[in-house]
Amino acid sequence: MPIAHEFKYLKAKSLKNAFALMEKHPNYQVLAGGTDLICAIKEGMISPEAVIDIKGLKGLSKIKLSNGELSIGSLVSYSEIIESRTIKSYFPLLKEAAEKVASCGIRNRATMVGNICSAVPCLDAGAPLMVYEATVVVEGKDGERLIPIKEWFVGPRKTSLKAGEIVKEVRIKEPALKHGIAYDKLSRYEGEDLAQATVAVYLDEQNNYRISFGSVAPVPVRASSIENLLNGKALSAELIAQAKILVAQEISPITDIRATKEFRLHMCEVMMERSLKRAQMMLGGK
Amino acid sequence: MKTQIAFTLNNELRKMDVETNQTLADALRYLMGTKSVKCGCERGDCGSCTILFNGKSVRSCLILALEADGQEITTLEGIKKPEEEMTPLQEKLLANNSFQCGFCASGMIMSLTPLLKKNPSPSEEEIKEAIAGNLCRCTGYEPIISAVKELAKENRQQKEKSK
Amino acid sequence: MSKLKYIGKPTVRVDGKAKVTGAATFVEDIDFGPNLLYAAVVESPYAYAKINSIDTSAAEQAEDVVKVVVGKEFPYRFGLYMHDRYIFAQDYVRFMGEQVAAVIARTPEAAKRAAKLVKVDYTELTPILKVEDALCDHPNLVHPELKSYEHVPWFFPQDDSNIAHFRKIRHGDLDKGFEEADQVFEDVYYVPRYAHCAIEIHGAVGKFDHSGRLTVWTSSQSPHTQRHLFAEALKPLGITHNDVRVITPYVGGGFGGKAGVTMEIIAAALATKVQGHPVKVLWSREQEFYNTYQRQGVVAKMRIGVKNDGTMTAIEQLLYWDAGAYVEYGANVVNAAGLSATGPYRIPNIKIDSVCVYTNLPPGGPYRGFGYSEFLFGLESFVDDIAEKLGIDPIEMRLKNAIKEGDTLAYGGKMNPSGLEQAINKVKKELKWGEKRESKDPHIKTGKGISLFWKAPAMPPNASSTCFLKFNEDASINLLISAMEIGQGYHTVMAQIAAEVLGVPPEKIRGENPDTDRNPYEWQTVASHITWSCGNAVYNAAVDARDQIFDLVERALEKKRDALYLEDMQVKSKDEPEWSVPLRDFIIDGLMMKDGTWRGGPIVGRGMFMPEFASALSNPETGQGGKPNVHYTVGAAGVDIDVDEETGKVKIKKTVLAVDCGKALNPSLVEGQITGGLVQGFATVLYEDMRFSDKGKLLNPNFTDYKIPTVHDIPEKMVPIIIETAQPDGPYGARGVGEHTMIPCAPMIGNAIKDALNVRIKSMPLTAEKIVMSQKNQKK
């Protein structure tokens, strides 16, 4: 299928150059992996005047852990996240989620930062980053801003990134306590599918809980009422049953072609229960 | 407006004049004549256009041709060694009647090639994961998986023998 | 028959190397040079509307645009079995996505941009999107002129209605049959629309050269039928059959979607407007979903009478098909299902109504299974439920009623030889029927289900196949045949048949993709009839060639003809074990006599097959009297599944399918049809369906939301079982097997889910969501 829309392709030589290009072509789109962008242009969903390719920028391609803080550059692909030993050892929730993104040929190209910039409701990375309480580092010509992930997502396809800014990296502090995690995704297929709901769970040895749901509200949500109920308590069947009742208050799923809101709610309850149990087993060393 | 790019295609240095809005899949098919690159959905769902981009399997329908400038591209036409008639993977897929209509074949092979390079004897799960983004409507996938499993087993036995 | 050397062997595909190396050429791979133009089609945004006017001026002035063509330039009605459609819409559009106009430009981008500039003024009308609405008391008529449409003699449209064809079958005495029954059961099942999803999208290139020759390159299952329909439709332009040439290279999957004529006629028609230029029409995946054919939806109302011992005494099957806006092909699906809607059962008293209903949805048409998958979902689910109510094992119930050779069919004919009982018993054994598999996970329930299946080729009684067989100097062979290698392995099997007769190994025999100028006639590659029909033609051509060879050797070398035989590319004689003559020594040049003169010359075999016993004529009120079906292929299949009762996810642990293919000419390829068919069938029951809005807009025209199974979604184990009860008139006893393998999938999954969770879901697909929600509703 031909791309009928015509645009300028500009390769940024440096961050500074990127800022200048963005200023000169206000109707721009940033190109990293391109797996969302090219498709959207092809299908006429967006018609940018300029596409600014940032793949040549230095320093945005690294996964680095220093002083207890992980940084994932905006050009890091999902495959690189899966293959990273650092992430596997210290941030396994990211690996679990990344493995469920699309398929190998997409993951070799698609970036996690691109995923959170598209901010489509079906994004995969939202719930895990909410649980890890990540920070998004952006830079514009006026300097750097640090945006907590819970302030990052503003609405479907809307983020707090401003015109003229570029995401440099995502930072995550390594959890201090021994913990277990689990991620689950509702999809119609065992193979590649867009998420109809996601759940990410963290629990640690002091019974602190973090639970986030994705794709069941305009933006990924932290389930604070459930966390409040669970915090400080050891998991039990009774407690899980109480927690499941609260799921309906935390999420606002919609009915669309992929699933009904009733099924999404039901599955969020089931996935949360199963994820909590899995995270607990992991914490127990199983 | 056309821009000239230079890149490596199947181990040869090539140049092509591409439009800004041309996808790599279209440029490879229509400008370079590497017609093994197929398009079945144009939005990254079917995997028929899979090629190797710097050794990694990617969807060429979701890449602009301009992004290939200075990069190394491999299509099915370029995967065999000069002395080979076909790669061992192709031989095995042929011997097992793995494909039917054959439209997905090049994408499948391009997804499996980097896997086998990294790990000549992959598990069934690894084989499946490598082609999880390659759709096939004819075969039910089973004849493809069994052929690669057979190759993996032979590679494992050969490795053990040479120890 | 003596021992077979090539038949029955798992020969490597003769097209295999071309496919694994990427050398196989599909229609979009052909180069057409710098003169090539590209068309983009303007489509209707409404399911039903009147076209008031079309303004093409802006599009005509756009850069690189060569021509804009509107529907009125081709006011010709055409169709395969019924002339009810136009190349482009005329005064009305009848489905969303219907082609209204086209832009021809020098680049595909320019064509796409200019297509948006064509302004069409419509008056939107209320569309008919449901069969019930089409059949209400005073419906809007989708085709007010229905009564004037030409159609084949076995269709029965009802004037001033939306019923394009009403197939009636009346056999025995229905009332008596229900009276004789101890119990009578009723039920209703629903099947939505489905898409073929061949990975290769439809594409066609037409070229009308300056001498008036129209050549069309297509991705098609039906090159000769296309030539015929192009010539018929474009006759007013002075184009004749002799002027039309259709060339069809390898096809990237068909499944019925590339049968007949759909978008190809657009390329043919547009070419006539830009004489001298090839013009390419290439569908997008979205257009592929909308504007080829779709598998029709159906509402099936059933009533079955049974004795307490399980014997069926009567069946009433009322099938109402959502056939879409044009039924030129789809009406024959309705017809085929109507003839066979008893399923593979011996039932003495029968009433079948199979009703083809026009709606304002995209045209329905052929899809692997041709109506049988649709009615068997209801029937085979219903049979399980009846067995349960009678307290009879579902397999015993089926064995008791399974049709046998010589039993009377619904339309009055006799059943062909069949291994149905053997198939049922083999599936029963392989599935360990009666043993419950235990699961350790408390949320996982296990279940087993089975289904029988049958299907006959649906084709005109005089559908025929032909073959020219020509030798090359080295005694290798080219088969000029015109069925399509759509992946099923047709070229390989034809090579094996010729190999067996001529003693030339299959790898030396090339099947030629059709060019209607060169390859002789074939009706279409549909109906699972090619192995049987074209196989007979190839066999006959090979025998013809062999006769010529023996004649020559007898005449020139004075060998006793009756003792001659062919082996290893040589002529040999039973009388003289030491003597032989290689085919290559004479197959083109002939044999030299002592005086230096020559005998013989290039050997060319010719073969043809047409089933002269078939007839589609019958009493319209009863369907009795004809012989519309040439034979049935039958079988049985089963599954053993895990269902997670909390998530509704179904995992197929094992599936078994036994099919009686008469003779497996190549068991490897039969197994390929079994695994491929099973996965395609499971997809229709577990995952896929086409969803339409209340405006008739297709909501999932892409692989993101109409997704076909990935490698992670297939059964853990698939067991193919081949049964061989020879088909008396088949090549080496073979009959077709291509479509059958997907037919039993939906009911056997439904039956296994019922077994696991005690929930019966009566509308396809049986998605995880539906399973969970119906469980929840049941508990309420």
Side-chain angles (χ1 to χ4, degrees), chain B residues 127-140:
Chain B
I127 296 166
K128 283 185 172 179
E129 192 52 37
I131 56 170
N134 291 84
L135 297 179
C136 168
R137 190 57 147 178
C138 297
T139 65

Side-chain angles (χ1 to χ4, degrees), chain B residues 13-83:
Chain B
L13 281 173
R14 299 290 297 270
K15 287 177 184 161
M16 59 180 177
D17 295 321
V18 302
E19 297 282 354
T20 309
N21 59 359
Q22 195 162 22
T23 63
L24 183 53
D26 281 354
L28 290 171
R29 284 179 55 77
Y30 303 127
L31 303 178
M32 295 287 102
T34 43
K35 299 272 176 87
S36 75
V37 180
K38 305 290 188 224
C39 292
C41 72
E42 300 275 5
R43 62 209 302 274
D45 289 325
C46 80
S48 306
C49 67
T50 304
I51 57 160
L52 304 188
F53 194 102
N54 297 333
K56 289 193 169 152
S57 61
V58 300
R59 308 293 165 91
S60 59
C61 76
L62 295 182
I63 297 175
L64 297 175
L66 282 164
E67 294 178 73
D69 193 22
Q71 314 297 313
E72 194 177 315
I73 305 295
T74 311
T75 66
L76 181 62
E77 287 87 347
I79 58 163
K80 75 181 181 78
K81 296 189 187 119
E83 70 274 16

Side-chain angles (χ1 to χ4, degrees), chain B residues 29-30 35 38 40 43 45 48 76 85 90 94 97 99-101 103 105 109 125 128-129 137-139 141, chain C residues 11 13 16-17 19-20 28-29 31 195-196 199 252-253 285 487 668 672-673 675-676 688 704 709 711-712:
Chain B
R29 284 179 55 77
Y30 303 127
K35 299 272 176 87
K38 305 290 188 224
R43 62 209 302 274
D45 289 325
S48 306
L76 181 62
E85 199 183 329
Q90 286 171 305
L94 172 64
N97 284 339
F99 294 112
Q100 291 186 21
C101 84
F103 197 81
I109 296 170
E125 214 27 61
K128 283 185 172 179
E129 192 52 37
R137 190 57 147 178
C138 297
T139 65
Y141 302 101
Chain C
T11 307
R13 299 180 66 105
K17 193 169 174 186
K19 288 175 176 176
V20 299
E28 238 283 283
D29 299 336
D31 287 313
H196 306 82
I199 310 297
R285 179 54 66 182
S668 161
Q673 289 305 301
T675 54
E688 299 171 8
T704 304
V711 71
H712 286 312

Side-chain angles (χ1 to χ4, degrees), chain C residues 78 85 87 99 201-206 214-222 226 230 234 246 248 257-271 279 281 283 288 291-293:
Chain C
F78 75 103
R85 75 188 290 178
I87 300 170
Q99 55 274 20
I201 294 169
H202 279 68
V205 178
L214 177 65
T215 305
V216 190
W217 290 262
T218 64
S219 172
S220 167
Q221 297 173 234
S222 314
Q226 293 189 332
F230 296 162
L234 302 173
V246 176
T248 309
K258 288 169 183 158
V261 170
T262 56
M263 55 82 78
E264 300 81 13
I265 196 148
I266 298 172
L270 293 181
V279 55
V281 186
W283 266 183
E288 184 77 13
N291 209 341
T292 57
Y293 291 117

Side-chain angles (χ1 to χ4, degrees), chain C residues 103-123:
Chain C
V103 173
I104 304 171
R106 297 199 191 282
T107 70
E109 292 82 6
K112 198 173 158 184
R113 281 192 294 267
K116 291 204 176 108
L117 302 175
V118 174
K119 299 264 177 301
V120 186
D121 181 46
Y122 296 98
T123 303

